[in-house]
């Protein structure tokens, strides 16, 4: 077979990584028809289809999945080299850190605090959705991403590296000095609740706990953002369920207090990376300092 056209291969890799032809065309600043033609030329060169259509979706064939893995190695290494050359200063390190949009700000602050004492390090923080975090890592726009859920290795055909960096207990939190004297659920019959959204793991933990106690919460509001949960817990006078680290300052100021920890309930925090030829030493040191036993 004649030598591969790496320009065509790059276009295939971007479409396979994004999973949508139209979005890939927009990001690559080419027309959808031109992008489709480039991929068709690559398929003709290989002699096998790389995508097949399922309704309006493009799905990788078995050959396409293998080609994507090779393309991932080729172009991620090239983009890593490009970012290194752009930095230009081997005595200074700049980290691009992505954080999932609803993540606890107190956890984020605790994670990055060690960077403040190093004069050779600067960093940028970007709040993004999980999908945008994955794209940022794949495109080498981010060095690391912080989330409260691990990523399976089969997502986008990428070998994700998930490191558990923190684990926080989940508890019932309420106004200071108003904790019921009885054990849950006694004394909670007339309480109203601010709860995490139904798509969040903490919510399912709380509902499982309530089921074992035969308790039905009177829900005033559902919130899928921890920063907003913190404000509502502080100002509403209602009960909430969250890791106490989210309201650490309010607990220290005696505006809120922990009423009860949920048994065997934890929120896990992960640092997500991709395999690289070179990982900045400061990032390795940061991860080692956060590693759980």
């Amino acid at each position: 077979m004649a030598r591969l056209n790496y320009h065509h291969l790059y276009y295939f890799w971007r479409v396979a990584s994004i999973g949508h032809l139209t979005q890939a065309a927009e990001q690559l600043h080419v027309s959808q028809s031109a992008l489709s033609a480039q991929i068709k030329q690559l398929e003709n060169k290989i002699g096998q289809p790389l995508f097949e259509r399922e309704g309006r979706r493009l799905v990788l064939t078995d050959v396409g999945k293998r080609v994507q893995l090779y393309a991932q190695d080729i172009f991620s290494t090239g983009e890593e080299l490009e970012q290194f050359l752009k930095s230009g200063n081997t005595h200074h390190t700049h980290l691009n850190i992505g954080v999932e949009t609803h993540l606890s700000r107190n956890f984020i602050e605790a994670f990055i605090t060690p960077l403040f004492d190093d004069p050779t390090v600067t960093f940028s923080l970007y709040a993004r959705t999980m999908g945008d975090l994955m794209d940022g890592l794949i495109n080498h726009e981010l060095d690391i991403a912080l989330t409260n859920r691990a990523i399976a290795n089969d997502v986008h055909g990428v070998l994700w590296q998930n490191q558990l960096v923190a684990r926080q207990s989940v508890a019932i939190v309420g106004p200071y000095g108003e904790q019921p004297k009885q054990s849950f659920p006694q004394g909670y019959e007339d309480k109203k609740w601010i709860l995490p959204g139904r798509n969040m793991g903490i919510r399912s933990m709380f509902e499982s706990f309530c089921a074992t106690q035969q308790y039905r919460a009177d829900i005033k509001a559902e919130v899928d953002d921890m920063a907003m949960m913190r404000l509502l817990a502080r100002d509403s006078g209602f009960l909430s369920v969250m890791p106490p680290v989210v309201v650490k300052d309010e607990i220290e100021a005696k505006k809120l207090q922990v009423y009860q920890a949920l048994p065997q309930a934890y929120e896990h925090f992960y640092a997500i990376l991709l395999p690289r030829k070179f990982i900045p030493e400061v990032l390795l040191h940061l991860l080692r300092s956060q590693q759980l036993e």
Side-chain angles (χ1 to χ4, degrees), residues 215-261:
Y215 175 80
R216 183 172 182 177
D218 184 359
I219 303 171
K220 183 66 175 179
E222 299 174 315
V223 185
D224 65 0
D225 179 79
M226 277 296 158
M228 182 56 67
M229 280 280 293
R230 174 184 180 180
L231 293 178
L232 294 180
R234 183 191 69 193
D235 299 335
S236 69
F238 302 137
L239 303 187
S240 58
V241 179
M242 64 182 72
V245 67
V246 175
V247 288
K248 176 174 65 72
D249 295 340
E250 287 77 8
I251 291 173
E252 291 175 355
K254 296 187 176 181
K255 294 180 179 178
L256 296 173
Q257 73 179 92
V258 173
Y259 286 8
Q260 177 177 334

Side-chain angles (χ1 to χ4, degrees), residues 78-244:
E79 291 189 351
E80 182 181 339
L81 172 61
E82 184 178 353
Q83 291 298 319
F84 171 74
L85 294 175
K86 281 181 179 179
S87 66
N89 184 354
T90 58
H91 301 293
H92 174 267
T93 302
H94 184 86
L95 297 178
N96 292 309
I97 303 171
V99 298
E100 199 168 3
T101 50
H102 63 260
L103 209 60
S104 162
R105 279 14 181 197
N106 280 333
F107 159 71
I108 296 168
E109 182 180 16
F111 183 88
I112 63 175
T113 292
L115 299 177
F116 294 148
D117 295 328
D118 191 334
T120 68
V121 176
T122 57
F123 61 90
S124 298
L125 284 176
Y126 302 94
R128 297 184 178 181
T129 64
M130 179 64 90
D132 288 341
L133 288 176
M134 289 189 289
D135 287 343
L137 288 168
I138 290 173
N139 298 334
H140 290 265
E141 298 167 356
L142 299 175
D143 297 297
I144 187 173
L146 303 178
T147 78
N148 61 357
R149 46 186 166 155
I151 304 177
N153 274 336
D154 59 347
V155 177
H156 294 321
V158 173
L159 296 176
W160 301 98
Q161 295 179 344
N162 302 280
Q163 178 175 321
L164 181 63
V165 294
R167 186 180 73 168
Q168 301 289 343
S169 62
V170 176
I172 297 171
V173 176
Y176 184 82
E178 298 182 21
Q179 180 180 5
K181 294 180 180 180
Q182 306 98 317
S183 298
F184 188 93
Q186 284 75 36
Y188 289 79
E189 295 86 357
D190 60 346
K191 301 295 185 183
K192 293 188 180 296
W193 296 80
I194 306 290
L195 293 181
R198 294 182 182 276
N199 63 328
M200 301 177 72
I202 296 175
R203 176 64 175 272
S204 62
M205 296 176 198
F206 177 68
E207 290 181 341
S208 296
F209 175 66
C210 289
T212 63
Q213 300 294 322
Q214 297 183 320
Y215 175 80
R216 183 172 182 177
D218 184 359
I219 303 171
K220 183 66 175 179
E222 299 174 315
V223 185
D224 65 0
D225 179 79
M226 277 296 158
M228 182 56 67
M229 280 280 293
R230 174 184 180 180
L231 293 178
L232 294 180
R234 183 191 69 193
D235 299 335
S236 69
F238 302 137
L239 303 187
S240 58
V241 179
M242 64 182 72

